[in-house]
Amino acid sequence: MTRGAANPGATLNGMADGPQFTVTLDHAATTPIYLQVAHGIQRWLGTEHATPGTALPSERDLAGQFGVSRVTVRQAIALLTTQGLLERRRGSGTFILPRRIEHPLGTLQSFSDDMRARGQVPGAHVLSFALNRATPHEAMTLGLREHSRVYRIRRLRTADGTPLAVESSVLPEDRVGDLHADTLKDRSLYELLSARALVPVRALRHLRAVNADTEHAALLQVRPGAALLMTERVSWLADGTPIELASAHYRGDRYDFLMELTTPET
């Protein structure tokens, strides 16, 4: 191909059923060709035709389709791999990873509502359920009297059957009333609270990165030491009453937490 001419339309063939996806490469542009290839594949990965778990064509096939070198294709795939969109499997090829979930930090929304809004089926498997005396930290955070009891609930949250998070909640018995483990299976905790006129309207959340221990790795189906995002949250009712102390471990390969920033008014 003569440098300076635009590729009239390289297509991504054989990747999924449905229309072909066209990538136009401009060799006269200042943007490196491997970035143009990466951006083209990235756009295709955002369409309904890119099925998670599907293998991409080989580097040689992609190079032939795009009219570029295998080195260029390799650079593009390496970039998309670091972005968590593709995964190289030794001896097997390059595969499409599930789309990452972008969750705004400033939104107080249940996991179930979030997944339904994305067209996925939420699930909740109860790992442990207990009613015990509050610890000093729990009592202070939730504003409880001495010897108050709290529910401690730990659940594995899934979307379309894929484990995404391990959630732990501490709820004051005298504020939420009677709870049972079987009522929390595959159900939003916030839906249950709302049915009792206990709607959290404000929360303070802390976020930090941690590595998966053996237990979290097994539950979330990741390797031990994999990156997780851990959040700790306190939620309040409209009258200022604390209603929940919660923590969660999210899969770092599936979650991005977003925050909108604005300049202060002058």
Side-chain angles (χ1 to χ4, degrees), residues 4 6-7 14 18 25 60 69-70 91 107 121 124 142-143 179 192-193 200 204 211 223 236 252:
N7 186 335
L25 304 179
R60 181 176 61 183
S69 69
R70 291 180 63 178
T107 302
V121 179
L142 295 171
L179 292 179
L192 187 150
L193 293 176
L204 180 64
N211 296 110
R223 60 174 178 78
W236 291 270

Side-chain angles (χ1 to χ4, degrees), residues 16-259:
D17 294 333
Q20 294 178 343
F21 182 76
T22 301
V23 178
T24 301
L25 304 179
D26 185 358
H27 289 259
T30 58
T31 303
I33 295 300
Y34 85 91
L35 283 180
Q36 295 184 43
V37 172
H39 292 161
I41 297 176
Q42 184 177 19
R43 287 193 297 271
W44 185 85
L45 291 173
T47 70
E48 62 182 6
H49 305 299
T51 304
T54 301
L56 266 66
S58 68
E59 290 180 358
R60 181 176 61 183
D61 290 341
L62 286 175
Q65 291 173 26
F66 289 127
V68 298
S69 69
R70 291 180 63 178
V71 172
T72 298
V73 171
R74 190 174 301 123
Q75 288 177 304
I77 290 177
L79 176 62
L80 297 174
T81 299
T82 62
Q83 294 175 347
L85 300 175
L86 300 175
E87 178 184 41
R88 288 184 182 272
R89 300 176 188 171
R90 180 169 297 183
S92 299
T94 303
F95 293 80
I96 301 172
L97 289 176
R99 298 178 191 177
R100 296 178 69 88
I101 297 169
E102 295 185 345
H103 183 79
L105 274 174
T107 302
L108 186 57
Q109 184 181 37
S110 73
F111 178 94
S112 296
D113 287 344
D114 188 15
M115 292 304 106
R116 292 192 191 103
R118 301 172 191 275
Q120 298 178 287
V121 179
H125 174 67
V126 179
L127 300 173
S128 62
F129 181 93
L131 178 60
N132 302 115
R133 181 179 297 181
T135 66
H137 171 69
E138 293 166 347
M140 181 178 65
T141 303
L142 295 171
L144 302 176
R145 297 187 303 272
E146 188 179 3
H147 306 310
S148 293
R149 298 198 302 178
V150 294
Y151 290 101
R152 293 192 183 87
I153 304 162
R154 193 163 182 256
R155 299 190 297 172
L156 177 66
R157 304 310 310 270
T158 63
D160 292 340
T162 299
L164 293 182
V166 177
E167 293 182 340
S168 299
S169 295
V170 179
L171 303 164
E173 179 191 24
D174 62 355
R175 294 174 190 165
V176 302
D178 195 27
L179 292 179
H180 299 279
D182 55 0
T183 63
L184 296 169
K185 183 179 184 298
D186 294 329
R187 184 179 182 185
S188 167
L189 181 58
Y190 274 23
E191 288 178 1
L192 187 150
L193 293 176
S194 296
R196 302 183 182 196
L198 300 170
V199 182
V201 299
R202 184 173 68 89
L204 180 64
R205 172 183 280 170
H206 295 271
L207 171 67
R208 68 175 184 267
V210 298
N211 296 110
D213 58 21
T214 303
E215 181 190 21
H216 282 102
L219 291 171
L220 295 173
Q221 297 180 9
V222 297
R223 60 174 178 78
L228 303 179
L229 294 171
M230 179 183 178
T231 65
E232 296 175 313
R233 184 184 72 245
V234 182
S235 303
W236 291 270
L237 304 177
D239 64 1
T241 302
I243 192 64
E244 182 192 21
L245 172 62
S247 65
H249 289 76
Y250 297 91
R251 285 178 54 165
D253 63 338
R254 295 295 306 277
Y255 262 87
D256 287 325
F257 284 89
L258 305 180
M259 177 180 292

